[in-house]
Amino acid sequence: MVWSVIQNFRQAAKFRGGWYNLYLHMYTNSDYPFKFGSYMGHDAAGNRYYENRVDYPFGQHRWVEPGDIHNFDSSSVPPEWQGWMNSMNDCRPSTEDEYFESSKSLIKKIESKSDAPAENHLGHQEKLFNFHHMHNQSQVRSRGYNIGNAIVGLPPGAPDAYYTQPGSPYHPDFIRKPEMIGDLDEAEGGGRPYKSDKWAERLRTKEEKDAIAAAKKAEDELMLGNVRKQIMMRQAAARGRGGTIARR
């Protein structure tokens, strides 16, 4: 048994082109015994596709080795290769392109001058672009408010790519802009605007909060003194009329 394990490692290292590539394969696919197969092609993201119909059962005879070993997801496989991976068809996307190119030579050219810039009748078309070859764009979103997403390489401040319904509070055209009702530094030209009293409370420094608390305390004491003064004046007026004042 030990010898078979050693043989499997030796064959895998030879198949992968060295121990380092074998280590990368163990890191990405984490399968043992190591799989061997025929190289069938690759996509724009660098994902490599293999097939072995002899040694593995149906459903396990096709697999992909990721191009980006640190950030791979099943949605990183493009649709044309997804069909091949799931055995929906046996024709690789590369062979389809080769067939289309070879078929062009069988088309009889019209003996007339043409100023058409394209080879087909579809006209000008923009090339499809997927951020970091991620076909599931719902993953292209920030991990926090304007901090970006280091996992997929989304820089800070970049907009999210996932679709939002019109009218949704997350839709960029329907996000309400904050309406400020004041500024704590308005006398100095502005700098700390706020849209509510609670927001203003959070923006104030400890010194400002202490000053406001002291001013409120002085105002309460002044109001309390005025109330006591009014009570004393009423009591003096009652005594002047010969009345009595009940003690509580």
Side-chain angles (χ1 to χ4, degrees):
M1 179 178 179
V2 177
W3 177 248
S4 64
V5 174
I6 296 175
Q7 286 293 94
N8 188 259
F9 268 88
R10 290 179 58 185
Q11 294 176 5
K14 183 178 180 180
F15 180 75
R16 299 291 168 185
W19 293 104
Y20 177 74
N21 292 330
L22 176 61
Y23 169 75
L24 292 181
H25 173 70
M26 294 171 63
Y27 174 74
T28 54
N29 286 45
S30 64
D31 57 351
Y32 181 83
F34 305 112
K35 302 184 74 170
F36 302 91
S38 302
Y39 174 74
M40 306 301 291
H42 66 278
D43 56 25
N47 301 320
R48 301 174 301 278
Y49 300 88
Y50 294 87
E51 183 181 38
N52 187 341
R53 299 188 179 185
V54 178
D55 301 325
Y56 306 111
F58 183 84
Q60 302 179 13
H61 64 295
R62 293 174 180 174
W63 67 92
V64 56
E65 296 185 2
D68 187 358
I69 62 176
H70 301 294
N71 180 35
F72 180 75
D73 187 81
S74 59
S75 62
S76 300
V77 178
E80 57 270 18
W81 280 103
Q82 282 280 9
W84 180 83
M85 287 277 295
N86 296 325
S87 300
M88 298 174 65
N89 57 71
D90 294 330
C91 185
R92 294 170 291 141
S94 56
T95 57
E96 293 179 358
D97 296 336
E98 295 172 0
Y99 173 76
F100 293 147
E101 290 296 329
S102 62
S103 299
K104 290 181 181 179
S105 60
L106 304 177
I107 301 176
K108 185 177 180 180
K109 296 183 179 180
I110 301 177
E111 300 297 332
S112 61
K113 182 180 178 181
S114 175
D115 296 325
E119 298 180 355
N120 49 50
H121 300 286
L122 301 178
H124 174 73
Q125 287 186 323
E126 294 290 344
K127 187 177 180 179
L128 180 64
F129 172 77
N130 291 317
F131 181 80
H132 283 209
H133 304 286
M134 298 177 64
H135 303 276
N136 183 5
Q137 297 295 291
S138 63
Q139 296 180 346
V140 185
R141 64 174 64 189
S142 179
R143 296 178 67 86
Y145 182 71
N146 285 339
I147 66 172
N149 190 338
I151 296 179
V152 301
L154 188 69
D160 298 332
Y162 63 92
Y163 175 76
T164 53
Q165 291 281 353
S168 169
Y170 299 101
H171 195 286
D173 296 336
F174 292 88
I175 295 178
R176 291 185 179 181
K177 296 182 179 180
E179 298 179 358
M180 303 303 172
I181 61 175
D183 196 311
L184 297 178
D185 298 333
E186 187 174 359
E188 302 176 0
R192 289 187 296 171
Y194 58 91
K195 63 179 184 179
S196 64
D197 294 336
K198 190 174 184 179
W199 192 314
E201 182 67 19
R202 293 175 178 175
L203 294 177
R204 291 190 179 97
T205 61
K206 184 178 183 301
E207 292 76 11
E208 292 175 338
K209 293 179 180 179
D210 293 341
I212 293 175
K216 188 175 184 303
K217 182 178 180 181
E219 183 181 356
D220 294 342
E221 292 178 353
L222 179 61
M223 183 176 64
L224 183 59
N226 293 333
V227 171
R228 290 175 178 174
K229 186 177 180 181
Q230 291 178 2
I231 294 175
M232 292 176 65
M233 291 175 62
R234 292 177 181 176
Q235 290 176 351
R239 290 193 187 99
R241 294 194 299 269
T244 59
I245 300 174
R247 292 184 178 273
R248 295 183 179 179

